[in-house]
Amino acid sequence: MKPNFSMPLKGIVPPLVTPLLDNDTLDVEGLERLIEHVISGGVHALFLLGTTGEFASLSYKIREELIQLSCQFAKGRVPVLVGISDSAFTESLNLAQKAAQYGADAVVITPPYYFSSGQPELLEYLKRIMQQMPLPLFIYNMPVHTKVMFAPETVRAAADIPGIIGMKDSSANLSYFNQVQYLLKDRPDFTFMVGPEEITAEFVLMGGHGGVNGGANMFPKLYVDLYNAAAAHDMPKVLELREKVLQISTTIYNVGRFGSSYLKGLKCALSVMGICSDFMAEPFHRFNEPERKVIEDALEKLNYKSLL
């Protein structure tokens, strides 16, 4: 099973927020604006239904509608990756079938959550699910939410399972990256991307393929430029752009200091920028006026219009 895009996939892949009007209604106009915004900013693919997309809080109806509309709006201009993570094996496969039906290019999966899996169980799970998988698959290491990590040796073994083509790592652990990269040194075709944008430049400088960065929802060009500078080892440019990324991380993502502050801040900023609604799926709520004012001030201090 080969992807219809070049491997390894390189660059910036925004994990799209899911624009909502209420708990079970998409902000369709906002979704279209968001997709146009990030594609025009030069991103290299789209990732739907990840952590930033609030997948675990969304109904299957909304997930299916999001996949259908996003593929429609993307119009084949960039690859579309769809998160199919679920605690139920069958639901992950159902979502993968929908993704294939609507024209997505690949799917992305975390370890099943709730019960913690051992490494042999994780590998068996991947082997079994790939027997019925209609699309190429990226594994997604997200230990803070799934309670289990894909061990480096498990990643290397997974790379030999037909149809598994890459990995997104959100552990924020560069030592882990080094171990996985070393074990994959004979697999230059296997995509290896990082989630936390604060270390994307370092990751690319060390040989990683790019970033799945939430901030690229707001400022796609900034993150694409940072990737290009790191890939070219243009250190003065890396340091200049990385400063902006850290400014975003320490202001927009830290209002209120909730566990959900990153996503609340990101969605609020997109609303302030006029791109999409900031409604949050339950159990979370959007920021109120005092917090929104903090986000507005943070965007002004960023001189955000210069980043578009």
Side-chain angles (χ1 to χ4, degrees):
M1 185 190 309
K2 293 184 178 180
N4 58 8
F5 49 86
S6 298
M7 291 297 295
L9 179 62
K10 293 183 177 182
I12 296 296
V13 182
L16 283 190
V17 305
T18 301
L20 297 166
L21 296 178
D22 60 41
N23 276 310
D24 214 28
T25 308
L26 283 177
D27 173 10
V28 176
E29 292 180 358
L31 176 63
E32 185 171 16
R33 280 194 299 270
L34 177 62
I35 288 174
E36 289 302 318
H37 174 65
V38 298
I39 291 178
S40 67
V43 303
H44 301 86
L46 307 178
F47 173 33
L48 313 176
L49 296 173
T51 306
T52 303
E54 300 174 85
F55 80 91
S57 301
L58 302 177
S59 68
Y60 295 113
K61 175 183 80 72
I62 284 286
R63 297 188 210 189
E64 180 178 349
E65 185 181 356
L66 177 72
I67 297 166
Q68 181 179 13
L69 288 171
S70 297
C71 290
Q72 178 184 319
F73 294 151
K75 300 174 186 173
R77 289 173 288 176
V78 293
V80 176
L81 284 49
V82 175
I84 60 168
S85 302
D86 205 281
S87 55
F89 185 94
T90 302
E91 294 297 353
S92 288
L93 282 175
N94 288 343
L95 208 53
Q97 294 291 348
K98 296 296 183 184
Q101 175 185 334
Y102 293 127
D105 298 277
V107 292
V108 185
I109 199 166
T110 64
Y113 43 88
Y114 195 75
F115 282 115
S116 296
S117 306
Q119 295 301 311
E121 292 172 315
L122 277 180
L123 198 55
E124 284 301 318
Y125 170 80
L126 291 173
K127 289 176 180 177
R128 290 196 307 275
I129 206 163
M130 289 311 298
Q131 291 170 2
Q132 302 176 62
M133 190 59 63
L135 290 170
L137 180 138
F138 293 85
I139 58 176
Y140 179 4
N141 192 48
M142 188 49 150
V144 69
H145 292 314
T146 63
K147 301 186 296 184
V148 65
M149 198 165 197
F150 284 111
E153 295 78 11
T154 303
V155 176
R156 183 61 191 85
D160 289 333
I161 300 173
I164 296 182
I165 61 172
M167 176 184 186
K168 175 196 173 185
D169 172 38
S170 289
S171 69
N173 184 334
L174 287 175
S175 174
Y176 174 81
F177 161 75
N178 283 331
Q179 294 176 58
V180 173
Q181 187 185 46
Y182 178 77
L183 292 175
L184 288 169
K185 63 183 184 294
D186 63 335
R187 289 294 308 274
D189 59 314
F190 192 83
T191 297
F192 193 11
M193 290 197 170
V194 72
E197 54 209 64
E198 299 84 357
I199 62 168
T200 291
E202 293 89 331
F203 183 81
V204 173
L205 286 165
M206 292 165 63
H209 295 133
V212 186
N213 299 155
N217 283 272
M218 297 179 289
F219 308 118
K221 185 177 182 300
L222 170 65
Y223 291 83
V224 170
D225 287 349
L226 178 63
Y227 163 77
N228 288 334
H233 287 246
D234 181 350
M235 290 308 298
K237 194 68 174 176
V238 166
L239 293 174
E240 173 194 339
L241 298 175
R242 185 174 175 274
E243 186 73 16
K244 285 289 186 185
V245 169
L246 292 176
Q247 188 178 351
I248 290 165
S249 176
T250 56
T251 57
I252 291 173
Y253 299 162
N254 281 294
V255 177
R257 303 198 178 276
F258 303 104
S260 58
S261 286
Y262 152 71
L263 190 48
K264 288 180 176 180
L266 176 55
K267 275 198 151 180
C268 184
L270 289 168
S271 172
V272 170
M273 294 165 68
I275 294 174
C276 63
S277 166
D278 59 351
F279 186 91
M280 296 277 296
E282 294 286 355
F284 302 114
H285 293 162
R286 72 183 92 189
F287 278 146
N288 294 317
E289 196 55 39
E291 292 86 4
R292 186 179 178 91
K293 181 65 169 61
V294 174
I295 297 293
E296 290 172 351
D297 291 345
L299 286 171
E300 287 302 318
K301 287 177 182 175
L302 275 165
N303 189 19
Y304 80 92
K305 290 181 181 177
S306 69
L307 301 176
L308 301 176

